[in-house]
C-alpha cells in the first residue's frame, strides 16, 4: 500500500519550465490526498516557484525544494540544510570562471542574481515563476543559502561542468539537472536524504513509498523508494536506479503511474 509519493517536477511530472499543472494531474493528486497519501514535490526549483506551480493544491502537499535542502509545507519551513558561507564564496568564485554560465544563489525565501544576463533572468521569472532579486554582489547578502545554481547557456551541462564536478565532489554535493543546470549544495544532502527525512517524519517505510524522476539529481530519491519509476525520457543513470520505467513525460508517464496507484486503492 502506497502511503507517500515523492516526485521530481520538471521533465518528470510536467514539461521543463511549466507554469501550471494540467487539470487531470491536479485531480489525480487530489484523489491520492483524499485517500490519505502524503504527496511531496521534490525539485531543484525554489519553494516559491514550486508553490506557484501547485497553486490549486499547495496547502495540501509537502515540498523538498532546492534538491532536498528545504523541507516544508505551504508557508512553513520544517528543515533546512545551509551551505557554509566561507566555502560557498570559494566555490562561487570558481564557478564564475566557467565560460557562458550564469550563477544564482537560493535561500529559504529568496533567489539572488548579480548578473546582467537579462534574457536568462526573464526566462526564470516568466517560465519558472521565480522571484529573483538582482543585486551587485550576491555574497554580500546576509541570507543563509542552501543552493548555488549555475546555468549553462550552451545547454551542455555534462560537458561544461565535468571538471568542476570532479574538483568539488568530495566537498559539496554536485549534480547536473537536465542540459542546462548544475546544482551545488551541502555535502551528503540530496533528494534521497529528503525522501528518508519525510519517511521518518510521516512514519512511512520505503516499501510504502512511490518515487518518480528523470535526472541525475533524482537517482538517490529513486533508490530510497521501493516503488521507483523513471520516466521514459530519463537519463540512463535514473533508469538504472529505478525498478520500473514509465512512459515519457511528454506522454504523461508520471500521470499514468499515479493513476494506476489511485485505481488500486
Amino acid at each position: 500500500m502506497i502511503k507517500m509519493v515523492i516526485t521530481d517536477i520538471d521533465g518528470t511530472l510536467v514539461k521543463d519550465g511549466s507554469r501550471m499543472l494540467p487539470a487531470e494531474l491536479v485531480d489525480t493528486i487530489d484523489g491520492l490526498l483524499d485517500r490519505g497519501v502524503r504527496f511531496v514535490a521534490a525539485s531543484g526549483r525554489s519553494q516559491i516557484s514550486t508553490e506557484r506551480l501547485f497553486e490549486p493544491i499547495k496547502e495540501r502537499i509537502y515540498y523538498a525544494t532546492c534538491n532536498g535542502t528545504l523541507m516544508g509545507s505551504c508557508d512553513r519551513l520544517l528543515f533546512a540544510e545551509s551551505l557554509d558561507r566561507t566555502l560557498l564564496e570559494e566555490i562561487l568564485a570558481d564557478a564564475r570562471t566557467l565560460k557562458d554560465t550564469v550563477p544564482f544563489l537560493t535561500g529559504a525565501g529568496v533567489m539572488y542574481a548579480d548578473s546582467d544576463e537579462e534574457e536568462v533572468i526573464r526566462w526564470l521569472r516568466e517560465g519558472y515563476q521565480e522571484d529573483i532579486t538582482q543585486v551587485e554582489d550576491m555574497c554580500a547578502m546576509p541570507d543563509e543559502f542552501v543552493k548555488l545554481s549555475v546555468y549553462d547557456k550552451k545547454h551542455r551541462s555534462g560537458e561544461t561542468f565535468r571538471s568542476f564536478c570532479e574538483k568539488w565532489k568530495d566537498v559539496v554535493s554536485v549534480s547536473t539537472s537536465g542540459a542546462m543546470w548544475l546544482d551545488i549544495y551541502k555535502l551528503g544532502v540530496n533528494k534521497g536524504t529528503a525522501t528518508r527525512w519525510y519517511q521518518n517524519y510521516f512514519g512511512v517505510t520505503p516499501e510504502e513509498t512511490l518515487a518518480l524522476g528523470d535526472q541525475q539529481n533524482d537517482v538517490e530519491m529513486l533508490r530510497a523508494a521501493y516503488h521507483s519509476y523513471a520516466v521514459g525520457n530519463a537519463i540512463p543513470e535514473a533508469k538504472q536506479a529505478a525498478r520500473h520505467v514509465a512512459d515519457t513525460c511528454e506522454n504523461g508517464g508520471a500521470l499514468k503511474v499515479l493513476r494506476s496507484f489511485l485505481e488500486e486503492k
Side-chain angles (χ1 to χ4, degrees):
M1 178 178 173
I2 298 299
K3 294 185 178 179
M4 184 179 94
V5 172
I6 184 163
T7 178
D8 172 54
I9 296 176
D10 294 284
T12 298
L13 203 61
V14 294
K15 296 177 184 177
D16 196 19
S18 294
R19 293 171 56 90
M20 295 177 60
L21 293 179
E24 56 188 343
L25 187 53
V26 173
D27 290 343
T28 300
I29 296 172
D30 249 338
L32 290 166
L33 292 167
D34 288 342
R35 288 161 175 75
V37 177
R38 306 285 189 173
F39 187 91
V40 182
S43 176
R45 292 192 187 211
S46 71
Q47 184 83 3
I48 291 171
S49 172
T50 307
E51 284 192 11
R52 286 174 175 167
L53 179 67
F54 285 86
E55 178 64 33
I57 51 175
K58 69 178 184 180
E59 296 183 358
R60 302 193 68 193
I61 69 173
Y62 290 81
Y63 307 96
T65 53
C66 295
N67 282 329
T69 59
L70 292 172
M71 266 72 75
S73 53
C74 186
D75 298 324
R76 182 186 178 199
L77 179 64
L78 296 174
F79 187 70
E81 293 276 14
S82 300
L83 282 159
D84 175 79
R85 176 56 70 113
T86 301
L87 176 61
L88 174 60
E89 291 179 2
E90 183 181 355
I91 295 171
L92 177 58
D94 193 19
R96 292 190 193 279
T97 66
L98 299 170
K99 294 182 179 180
D100 296 317
T101 64
V102 186
F104 298 88
L105 284 176
T106 304
V110 65
M111 187 173 185
Y112 287 113
D114 55 14
S115 165
D116 58 0
E117 295 282 351
E118 292 296 335
E119 184 177 348
V120 176
I121 293 170
R122 183 172 61 252
W123 171 64
L124 287 172
R125 285 173 171 161
E126 294 177 357
Y128 289 87
Q129 302 182 79
E130 294 282 7
D131 279 349
I132 302 174
T133 301
Q134 290 179 266
V135 295
E136 289 188 9
D137 180 6
M138 295 187 293
C139 277
M141 299 297 103
D143 307 68
E144 291 289 320
F145 294 110
V146 297
K147 186 179 72 164
L148 165 61
S149 302
V150 188
Y151 177 78
D152 176 17
K153 294 194 291 182
K154 301 186 300 296
H155 293 191
R156 297 199 298 265
S157 62
E159 176 185 335
T160 300
F161 301 122
R162 185 175 293 113
S163 296
F164 184 92
C165 289
E166 186 63 29
K167 176 179 179 179
W168 292 103
K169 67 178 182 180
D170 296 324
V171 181
V172 288
S173 287
V174 288
S175 65
T176 55
S177 180
M180 298 173 283
W181 291 99
L182 173 70
D183 292 326
I184 300 144
Y185 30 95
K186 188 175 179 180
L187 185 65
V189 177
N190 51 59
K191 292 184 184 181
T193 59
T195 302
R196 290 187 288 274
W197 189 92
Y198 272 115
Q199 286 169 338
N200 182 66
Y201 184 74
F202 295 135
V204 170
T205 67
E207 290 74 21
E208 296 168 326
T209 306
L210 165 64
L212 299 119
D214 75 312
Q215 288 294 328
Q216 182 186 3
N217 62 345
D218 298 319
V219 166
E220 292 88 355
M221 176 182 71
L222 293 168
R223 289 173 176 164
Y226 181 81
H227 302 279
S228 54
Y229 288 78
V231 288
N233 51 283
I235 63 172
E237 292 88 342
K239 290 180 178 178
Q240 291 168 6
R243 290 180 180 270
H244 310 280
V245 177
D247 205 341
T248 63
C249 175
E250 182 78 22
N251 291 332
L255 175 61
K256 293 174 183 177
V257 172
L258 294 175
R259 275 182 171 171
S260 70
F261 282 94
L262 178 59
E263 291 167 0
E264 283 184 3
K265 291 189 64 65

